[in-house]
Amino acid sequence: MKRILVVGSTGQIGSELTMKLRGIYGDTNVVAGYIKGAEPKGELALSGPAEQADVTDALGIAEVVKKHKIDTIYNLAALLSAVAEQKPQLAWHIGVGGLFNILEVAREVGCAVFTPSSIGSFGPDTPKDKTPQDVLRTPRTMYGITKVSGELLSDYYYHRFGVDTRSVRFPGLISYVTLPGGGTTDYAVDIYYSAVKGERFRCPIAAGTFMDMMYMPDALRAAIEIMEADASRFVHRNSFNIASMSFDPEIIFANIKKYVPDFEMEYDIDPLRQQIAESWPNSLDDSCARQEWDWKPQYDLDTMTRDMLARLKEKFGL
Ligand code: SER
């Protein structure tokens, strides 16, 4: 049985991943790591142990790992792409300095480490369609630079010290539970909230801008399945392309309108997010993940839309 620490358990991915891991490995075997000011609440707080675990505090992380005899760390601490452009030093400090601290503890104690990478690890020099697994990665954003550095550092710790590091490049993640904060793909979450609340949606990304997206249940499964996978089949580790759907604002709008006929959208382009989106791929080729650990998504745009609308209506009592 694994003993897991989720660093960033109250964030967009962590809040759902922690609960799912508790369901699989047992409530007491999954520690919800948090930073001051972002303490677990509700079910997350009540269902299992929680500890302050700030990635920028190496000694604090080591203490929690030893106290709970942790063997697997999900390191989800990061600033998303748009906010990282406003605070590049902090983004580096958390994304790379923080990962360094986690990897050092993992090396000392013998933990496996999962750290998400992103479509943001690619840049304008990368082929845009069906972006291959192994290709030039020259991001122009601080977010992307921390992700490429994180991939390299994680592979280094595997080859040099045998630390069992694994990772996937997440697309934009869509969920009805916890809102993302300061990402470029956030519009694909916000649009559902507007549709359900009966508001006209102001879209910050231009028509024709395609990005890879994924429904959260598939993303959670990917994070768990890669850590359970038979590593003897791995050719890659840090980090695997994964994909399930690619769309632009017009396509997601039209799909939602099928179920919410009077839904309306207008464009109010955010120049920073638009520039970031244009530097990212339109769609990733995830065949290596499919071959090396049997990755397969379950949701497409339409099944996601139906579930998102139903869940949000329930959430808002509509
Ligand atoms: N969702 C992230 C962002 O938009 C990309 O991985 O910043």
Side-chain angles (χ1 to χ4, degrees), residues 12 80-82 117-120 143 170-173 182-186 280:
Q12 188 204 7
L80 288 179
S81 56
S117 185
S118 161
I119 51 172
Y143 179 70
F170 277 135
L173 299 182
T184 301
T185 56
D186 296 9
W280 288 356

Side-chain angles (χ1 to χ4, degrees), residues 259-278:
Y259 304 101
V260 187
D262 51 4
F263 185 39
E264 288 179 5
M265 176 171 86
E266 65 188 44
Y267 287 95
D268 180 13
I269 309 304
D270 172 350
L272 173 64
R273 284 184 167 81
Q274 183 60 31
Q275 194 187 8
I276 295 173
E278 282 173 15

Side-chain angles (χ1 to χ4, degrees), residues 268-311:
D268 180 13
I269 309 304
D270 172 350
L272 173 64
R273 284 184 167 81
Q274 183 60 31
Q275 194 187 8
I276 295 173
E278 282 173 15
S279 77
W280 288 356
N282 298 336
S283 65
L284 299 189
D285 174 353
D286 62 358
S287 48
C288 290
R290 288 173 186 260
Q291 275 156 25
E292 293 172 39
W293 49 280
D294 305 320
W295 156 249
K296 199 171 183 285
Q298 287 173 350
Y299 286 87
D300 60 15
L301 175 57
D302 196 58
T303 47
M304 174 176 78
T305 293
R306 281 189 271 141
D307 202 53
M308 273 297 279
L309 293 174
R311 303 289 191 146

Side-chain angles (χ1 to χ4, degrees), residues 3-299:
R3 293 194 53 87
I4 300 171
L5 169 63
V6 181
V7 174
S9 69
T10 59
Q12 188 204 7
I13 303 172
S15 54
E16 290 184 65
L17 183 62
T18 307
M19 295 307 297
K20 183 144 178 147
L21 291 168
R22 283 181 175 163
I24 297 170
Y25 301 106
D27 290 345
T28 53
N29 291 323
V30 182
V31 179
Y34 61 88
I35 52 167
K36 243 189 162 151
E39 288 80 4
K41 293 191 183 82
E43 222 190 342
L44 189 60
L46 296 173
S47 59
E51 294 279 357
Q52 192 166 322
D54 182 338
V55 271
T56 62
D57 169 17
L59 290 178
I61 295 283
E63 247 171 57
V64 173
V65 164
K66 286 176 190 163
K67 177 177 165 192
H68 291 272
K69 299 187 171 51
I70 297 298
D71 57 36
T72 304
I73 303 174
Y74 279 88
N75 169 33
L76 308 176
L79 296 188
L80 288 179
S81 56
V83 75
E85 289 309 299
Q86 313 297 347
K87 301 173 184 173
Q89 293 90 346
L90 184 62
W92 178 267
H93 189 48
I94 293 172
V96 183
L99 174 59
F100 222 128
N101 291 337
I102 297 273
L103 291 170
E104 269 302 296
V105 174
R107 176 170 78 95
E108 198 187 314
V109 177
C111 292
V113 179
F114 174 87
T115 307
S117 185
S118 161
I119 51 172
S121 64
F122 299 108
D125 308 317
T126 306
K128 288 242 175 287
D129 296 303
K130 289 271 163 211
T131 306
Q133 170 70 38
D134 300 310
V135 74
L136 195 63
R137 283 166 296 149
T138 48
R140 297 269 170 84
T141 62
M142 180 48 81
Y143 179 70
I145 291 166
T146 66
K147 289 301 180 193
V148 174
S149 307
E151 290 186 11
L152 295 172
L153 206 52
S154 297
D155 270 342
Y156 174 77
Y157 267 73
Y158 169 68
H159 290 296
R160 180 81 173 82
F161 304 117
V163 177
D164 185 2
T165 55
R166 307 179 185 196
S167 169
V168 296
R169 295 180 183 134
F170 277 135
L173 299 182
I174 295 164
S175 148
Y176 56 87
V177 178
T178 306
L179 284 167
T184 301
T185 56
D186 296 9
Y187 91 88
V189 178
D190 299 337
I191 193 170
Y192 287 106
Y193 279 74
S194 294
V196 165
K197 289 179 176 168
E199 293 165 358
R200 187 182 170 89
F201 182 60
R202 295 164 72 88
C203 186
I205 299 292
T209 312
F210 281 77
M211 286 183 277
D212 259 315
M213 302 281 179
M214 183 174 288
Y215 199 29
M216 190 61 90
D218 274 336
L220 301 181
R221 225 170 23 78
I224 293 166
E225 284 177 12
I226 194 176
M227 295 311 281
E228 286 289 349
D230 170 8
S232 69
R233 290 173 59 199
F234 285 174
V235 178
H236 301 87
R237 274 181 174 267
N238 301 283
S239 177
F240 284 93
N241 285 2
I242 56 168
S244 64
M245 61 185 96
S246 166
F247 53 73
D248 82 326
E250 290 292 313
I251 293 173
I252 186 174
F253 172 67
N255 189 253
I256 294 172
K257 214 171 156 65
K258 253 174 53 181
Y259 304 101
V260 187
D262 51 4
F263 185 39
E264 288 179 5
M265 176 171 86
E266 65 188 44
Y267 287 95
D268 180 13
I269 309 304
D270 172 350
L272 173 64
R273 284 184 167 81
Q274 183 60 31
Q275 194 187 8
I276 295 173
E278 282 173 15
S279 77
W280 288 356
N282 298 336
S283 65
L284 299 189
D285 174 353
D286 62 358
S287 48
C288 290
R290 288 173 186 260
Q291 275 156 25
E292 293 172 39
W293 49 280
D294 305 320
W295 156 249
K296 199 171 183 285
Q298 287 173 350
Y299 286 87

